[in-house]
Amino acid sequence: REMEAWVRYIVGKVSDAGLFASQGGPVILWQIENEYGNIEASYPNGAKYVAWAAQLAQSLDVGVPTIMCVQPNAPATVISTCN
């Protein structure tokens, strides 16, 4: 719950300021999770969390691509990247 509240808060602030590229701003993509893939196996619900985070990101519909760093099992709606 805490992560969802935080993500919604931050996305709201960025959106309210018109900063997403879909609003004419400079933010061309956003990252929902960072390098979770490195520790995912340590958590029994790790894969479920990844799917949940991706769904949360897509539900916010900010109009720019969503990325996850070092997340080889990222859903098709999310771009898996590496820093």
Side-chain angles (χ1 to χ4, degrees), residues 10-68:
I10 293 299
V11 167
K13 290 286 190 183
V14 175
S15 182
D16 289 349
L19 296 175
F20 287 113
S22 58
Q23 301 172 296
V27 178
I28 61 169
L29 53 82
W30 74 293
Q31 185 168 324
I32 188 68
E33 187 57 79
N34 187 54
E35 299 184 13
Y36 185 75
N38 292 332
I39 60 167
E40 180 181 335
S42 301
Y43 296 93
N45 294 318
K48 190 174 181 180
Y49 169 76
V50 169
W52 171 83
Q55 187 280 325
L56 171 62
Q58 294 307 295
S59 75
L60 296 173
D61 194 29
V62 298
V64 298
T66 303
I67 64 171
M68 286 182 161

